[in-house]
Each structure stands twice: as structure tokens, then as C-alpha cells.
Amino acid sequence: MKVDLAETKKIIERYRSEKGALIPLLQDIQAVYGYVPAESIELISKELSIYPVKIYGILTFYTQFYLAPRGKHTIKACQGTACHVMGGKAILDHLSDKLGIDVDGITPDNMFSLERVACLGCCGMAPVIVIDGDFHGRCTIQKIDELLDNYRSGKAK
Ligand code: FES
């Protein structure tokens, strides 16, 4: 799908005179598109005379950035040691089965993306998943099913 670069142009103008503002600029781009499109990177590079390799360097260094489209809701399943011991792999496999996608995939209705992450820093709640920044601890298969149903039915947004 072709990316409409009108918003990218506006954001570039907003930051044009600010030196060293590449990270907030990229954050704003991601806030608009849900990820940082290659077309936007190309335009930023051209307009602000920044080598694409520098932009990609930042995008791949910071885990907050995405280079590909994501679903409306991003599910991160922790696979750190504590979560693994408490069944995190089974939770991830169940999510993958239930959503019908692999890790880093997007459901065909664009509703969910699934990611595998390392320790989220709340091992006492293992196994943990995060949906759009909301932490869900002591996950069970049943709890996962309820959560997905809530998102699908619009009860959770
Ligand atoms: S290992 Fe999952 S939160 Fe620490």
C-alpha cells in the first residue's frame, strides 16, 4: 500500500530548524503511521540531508520503533527466564494459535500484532503479557482467551 507522505512533510517542517531532533521527529512519524515507513525515511533523508543509514541506526537501536506496520493492538509475550519457567512459552504458543499468526505477524483483520520480548521487569507476575502498554500477569490460557475476546468484542480498547 502506498504511504501518504503529507503528514511526513508536515512533521519534517515542524522540526526543520531544530538541530538534533531526529528522535522526536521519528516518534511523531510513528505516532501518525503506527510505524516508520521506508518512504518517510527516504523523505527525511532528502529534506534534512541525513544519511539513511543514520536514521536506520536509530530505528533499529531503540526498541520503541517499528519498521513495518503493526496491528491495532500489539501483544508482547515475555519470554524472559521467570516467565519461561512459569509457562511463558505455552502462553506465546497459545497466542500464536489463537490469533493464527507467527511471532512478528499481524492478524488478517489488522487487529493484533504478536511479539516476543525479553524480561519486562515484573517477574513476580510471571508469566506476563503486555497489550498496548497494559500489563497482564499470572497469565493462563483461559485468561488469554478472555482478554482476546474482550478486545475483539470492543470491551477492551
Ligand atoms: S521474565 Fe517475564 S517479566 Fe521478567
Side-chain angles (χ1 to χ4, degrees):
M1 202 171 69
K2 210 167 162 348
V3 174
D4 177 1
L5 288 171
E7 286 301 320
T8 299
K9 286 179 187 153
K10 280 189 212 160
I11 294 167
I12 290 173
E13 287 320 312
R14 204 182 305 148
Y15 286 98
R16 189 179 285 283
S17 55
E18 280 187 47
K19 286 268 167 275
L22 190 51
I23 290 177
L25 185 156
L26 293 170
Q27 284 168 332
D28 285 5
I29 298 272
Q30 180 157 288
V32 169
Y33 300 96
Y35 71 110
V36 183
E39 294 89 336
S40 298
I41 296 171
E42 207 177 298
L43 191 62
I44 295 164
S45 167
K46 207 164 81 190
E47 291 290 321
L48 302 182
S49 301
I50 301 170
Y51 286 116
V53 69
K54 182 171 178 199
I55 303 173
Y56 278 106
I58 287 173
L59 293 172
T60 50
F61 181 78
Y62 294 101
T63 52
Q64 62 175 296
F65 290 117
Y66 295 92
L67 285 162
R70 286 176 301 152
K72 185 175 174 211
H73 303 291
T74 301
I75 304 177
K76 298 175 193 239
C78 182
Q79 301 297 291
T81 307
C83 286
H84 186 77
V85 168
M86 297 301 284
K89 173 77 168 63
I91 295 292
L92 177 63
D93 289 346
H94 183 70
L95 280 163
S96 178
D97 283 352
K98 193 87 185 166
L99 297 170
I101 55 174
D102 291 328
V103 168
D104 294 330
I106 305 175
T107 54
D109 60 0
N110 288 332
M111 186 79 148
F112 298 104
S113 309
L114 179 61
E115 295 176 16
R116 170 191 295 142
V117 290
C119 180
L120 289 159
C122 47
C123 309
M125 292 165 61
V128 182
I129 69 165
V130 181
I131 307 181
D132 302 338
D134 291 333
F135 283 68
H136 303 277
R138 300 195 179 88
C139 284
T140 58
I141 302 291
Q142 192 193 351
K143 190 166 174 180
I144 296 289
D145 289 347
E146 280 167 19
L147 279 168
L148 293 182
D149 287 348
N150 285 345
Y151 277 91
R152 286 221 155 100
S153 66
K155 269 193 222 150
K157 294 187 189 227

